[in-house]
Amino acid sequence: MERWLKASANPTRRLALRHMNPWTLVLCVYIAYNLPGLIDMPWSIKDAYDKSLCWDLFGIGLLGLVLGYAVSGIASSGRAVLRARPLQPRTSKQLTCVFFALFAGCVVFEILANRGIPLFMGESRFGNSALVSNLAPLYGFWLMIRTISDIESARKVDLVQPVVYIAGILLLGYRSPVLAFVTVCYVYYAIFRVSGRKAAILSLVAACALLGFAATMAFFRVAQSYDVERFFTNIDFRFVGEHRYLLPFVPALSMFDASQNTIATLGSSMHDHLYGGLLLSNFETFLPGKHWGARNIVGDLVGARWIAGRPMSITPTLQGALFVDFGYVGVFAGFFGIAFGVARLHAYALRCGVLARFGFCYLLTLVLMSIHSGYWDVNFVFFLLFLIAIRIFDHLKSLSCRSS
């Protein structure tokens, strides 16, 4: 009874209890992604590598998540509850036109520069402009804000523009922006709109859909240049042949095991930690000259093949990336900070407007995707620039209204 009264007296807490807790989502994704690779599954090649380091890093990351969330609860207790701000609709036609024109220009430029559609050009897509790959998703950012705004204002959601955006991104051969767009929409519904029970069902549907999409795209990419069975060498295709329903999910099943294999290989090939060098490498790509991103450096460390003049991009998992830079302490500190930050940002988004909720959903999406891919890419910088651009537009619009 006392617990119920405390929840009733705190509207922010009551709202958090009614919907899915974002920390729970991070925890579930972290466990669901890592365990299939850590445990010897029937479709994987047995005893292919030593998983001792993999288990150690997984356990340290799990401890960091639990303690980070516990500390965030202690830090938030006793604080005054702030009133929720009114949600300001986001319906600017000017911004819609600007971001769509930028997106369309990026798609046309890449098709002309490649003399074909990158989606159907195999590994040639790695030659796409890095600037284009970061500018094109800005239109997706704006559509996410528009979608959240429409739902919050009980207006009809426009589905045409999101379909156009997803189709254009796929033509460029990109998968991550599509996954990010869909995941942001899922996160928003699960955290802010539906009950915890419905969110659990939605999570299962979203997980199957995203895994199916990612596996299909991977199958399509690999089949253009390689023999599928020779490419996914960590999969026992005799077992898959006896269970044909697993065949469409082979890239995803291979990914779970390959991620842990990458961690094990990093542990045996590294002579010293990089002390932040891997983290900074993604942002050094803004500097003049040629620079490898974090995943290319990981690819070099594990001996991956070279494509377009650099090592193939290899995803190290989040705990793997933190270990490469800062060792065991870095893994614990990184997951502790993520759990603490997610809890505090969630409390802020609950009482703020559309832009804050979009920002939280996108950052949470980056956290979920980083469990597989490692450190955030430079698209995080473009996300910040996008938010600044929106704020500048709001300021200019406010000045224009005052002057008129």
Side-chain angles (χ1 to χ4, degrees), residues 312-336:
M312 185 178 180
S313 175
I314 300 294
T315 52
T317 74
L318 182 54
Q319 65 266 33
L322 290 167
F323 176 77
V324 169
D325 262 344
F326 309 109
Y328 296 106
V329 175
V331 175
F332 174 81
F335 279 88
F336 181 94

Side-chain angles (χ1 to χ4, degrees), residues 205-265:
V205 174
C208 293
L210 291 174
L211 277 177
F213 169 76
T216 301
M217 282 289 293
F219 237 126
F220 178 76
R221 289 175 172 180
V222 170
Q224 292 183 72
S225 306
Y226 303 96
D227 179 83
V228 172
E229 292 192 18
R230 292 183 178 180
F231 187 86
F232 298 109
T233 56
N234 59 347
I235 294 296
D236 183 356
F237 277 93
R238 288 179 299 179
F239 180 84
V240 173
E242 296 171 358
H243 303 80
R244 301 294 295 178
Y245 60 89
L246 292 175
L247 185 60
F249 298 97
V250 161
L253 303 179
S254 174
M255 172 190 68
F256 295 136
D257 181 74
S259 294
Q260 304 304 323
N261 195 354
T262 298
I263 293 175
T265 305

Side-chain angles (χ1 to χ4, degrees), residues 140 144 162 165-166 175-189 202 205-207 209-210 213 361 365 369:
M144 294 175 204
Y165 169 72
I166 291 174
R175 178 178 58 181
S176 294
V178 176
L179 292 173
F181 185 90
V182 176
T183 305
V184 166
C185 295
Y186 151 73
V187 166
Y188 170 71
Y189 267 98
L202 179 62
V205 174
L210 291 174
F213 169 76
C361 291
T365 294
M369 296 178 70

Side-chain angles (χ1 to χ4, degrees), residues 125-142:
R125 70 182 185 279
F126 291 112
N128 286 352
S129 167
L131 182 61
V132 167
S133 67
N134 287 288
L135 288 178
L138 295 183
Y139 179 51
F141 292 165
W142 175 246

Side-chain angles (χ1 to χ4, degrees), residues 324-401:
V324 169
D325 262 344
F326 309 109
Y328 296 106
V329 175
V331 175
F332 174 81
F335 279 88
F336 181 94
I338 285 173
F340 186 89
V342 165
R344 300 311 310 142
L345 288 174
H346 179 225
Y348 175 77
L350 281 172
R351 61 178 183 264
C352 293
V354 171
L355 198 60
R357 295 195 176 189
F358 157 71
F360 171 77
C361 291
Y362 186 74
L363 290 176
L364 183 57
T365 294
L366 290 183
V367 168
L368 296 177
M369 296 178 70
S370 70
I371 291 173
H372 160 67
S373 60
Y375 290 138
W376 298 349
D377 290 330
V378 294
N379 58 4
F380 173 67
V381 176
F382 283 83
F383 163 73
L384 295 179
L385 294 175
F386 171 80
L387 294 182
I388 293 173
I390 297 298
R391 286 302 188 188
I392 292 175
F393 176 82
D394 289 344
H395 180 68
L396 294 177
K397 186 176 181 180
S398 177
L399 291 177
S400 176
C401 293

